[in-house]
Amino acid sequence: MIKGVGKTFRRGSRRTVALAEVDLTVHAGELMCLLGPSGCGKSTLLRIVAGALQADEGSVTVGGRAVDGPSADRGMLFQTPMLFPWLTARNNVLFGPKAQRSAGLNERDDPELQAEADAILGTVGLARFGDAFPHELSGGMQHRAAFARAIITRPSLLAMDEPFGALDAITRVRMHDFLLQMREQYQTTIIFVTHDIEEAVLLGDRVAVMGGSPPSIREIFDIPLERPRHGADTDTTQFLTAKRRIRAALTGRAA
């Protein structure tokens, strides 16, 4: 739950209000999209929810616990996969669980972790690439490896900051289908940042439109598309209607 969150960045005498009085409730298992133009505070809000940035005002709770910093129960994916180039895909996936075990937060032994890493790599379509290094993987494969690394720690919430923005159109469509499949399988709560209306409507259970001055949440839309979803849903009347309504909210014009 996000309640009254505000954030101001200061540099010398200059003040930039990034967020003001943001209220938002994300339900367990929901895929919530944060949509808006560049500079509207989407990524700032996501980083606050993930615990990577401290809010100046308000509060954030996940699973009833206050967010006051990074935690193993919250994962984050960025626009670039950020895999460790010196580790294989398998060892990238294992990095989080092994770090948790070293900190006493994970009691799974090596054989169990190895088996789980291989199972998740198989789930994301990388069963034959566990021993490959990041530079040997395509862009889409790197993103799938990053997703596997995030979900093996079993986070209660996954924050995704425009993770497919740098991909070509064909790979992006494939990653949409992949994310929709993974979401059905794991039922992880996801907050997904994007500036693409079509992406938000296809993926989200709800879409929160951000903007204004100072930036905040302007309107929230329920997306009336049944799940499971597929890329072909973009041709349906329900999809096109939702897309028009959200575009109208972004531009301030009547739908």
Side-chain angles (χ1 to χ4, degrees):
M1 177 179 289
I2 301 165
K3 188 172 181 61
V5 164
K7 181 66 181 179
T8 299
F9 293 104
R10 296 172 175 83
R11 177 172 294 181
S13 60
R14 182 178 178 181
R15 298 173 67 256
T16 302
V17 179
L19 294 169
E21 291 295 325
V22 175
D23 295 310
L24 181 65
T25 298
V26 181
H27 306 297
E30 181 176 28
L31 200 163
M32 169 69 74
C33 285
L34 303 181
L35 174 69
S38 297
C40 73
K42 307 183 301 296
S43 294
T44 298
L45 181 59
L46 194 73
R47 290 166 62 198
I48 290 173
V49 171
L53 184 67
Q54 187 71 38
D56 296 328
E57 302 169 347
S59 63
V60 178
T61 57
V62 174
R65 291 178 292 180
V67 173
D68 55 8
S71 171
D73 71 342
R74 296 186 302 277
M76 189 160 186
L77 291 175
F78 301 90
Q79 188 168 352
T80 56
M82 299 184 71
L83 299 173
F84 299 115
W86 60 88
L87 296 179
T88 63
R90 180 182 297 104
N91 285 330
N92 264 285
V93 173
L94 286 169
F95 183 85
K98 287 186 174 180
Q100 289 179 345
R101 189 177 62 188
S102 297
L105 301 174
N106 188 334
E107 297 181 355
R108 288 177 284 176
D109 57 22
D110 276 339
E112 183 181 355
L113 288 175
Q114 290 277 353
E116 186 168 4
D118 286 338
I120 291 178
L121 284 169
T123 299
V124 302
L126 296 177
R128 296 187 296 108
F129 297 92
D131 295 323
F133 288 90
H135 73 272
E136 298 174 311
L137 303 175
S138 68
M141 293 166 74
Q142 290 180 27
H143 278 275
R144 282 184 275 156
F147 191 90
R149 183 176 63 182
I151 61 178
I152 196 173
T153 59
R154 304 172 186 175
S156 60
L157 183 143
L158 184 58
M160 305 182 73
D161 192 1
E162 298 193 58
F164 310 142
L167 298 178
D168 63 83
I170 294 174
T171 304
R172 191 173 186 179
V173 168
R174 290 173 178 165
M175 289 305 299
H176 287 163
D177 285 339
F178 164 76
L179 178 59
L180 290 169
Q181 293 168 10
M182 293 299 99
R183 189 263 179 190
E184 290 300 315
Q185 179 170 348
Y186 289 97
Q187 293 296 305
T188 303
T189 305
I190 297 173
I191 303 179
F192 188 101
V193 162
T194 181
H195 59 263
D196 186 297
I197 300 174
E198 188 164 300
E199 182 171 66
V201 176
L202 176 63
L203 299 179
D205 294 302
R206 289 188 295 156
V207 175
V209 174
M210 298 186 66
S213 182
S216 189
I217 292 177
R218 296 167 55 179
E219 196 167 353
I220 299 176
F221 294 87
D222 291 312
I223 305 301
L225 296 176
E226 294 184 0
R227 293 193 183 274
R229 296 182 191 170
H230 308 280
D233 290 326
T234 58
D235 296 326
T236 64
T237 300
Q238 295 96 323
F239 181 93
L240 296 173
T241 299
K243 183 178 174 181
R244 283 196 296 268
R245 291 177 60 215
I246 293 173
R247 182 186 290 115
L250 282 168
T251 60
R253 299 175 182 175

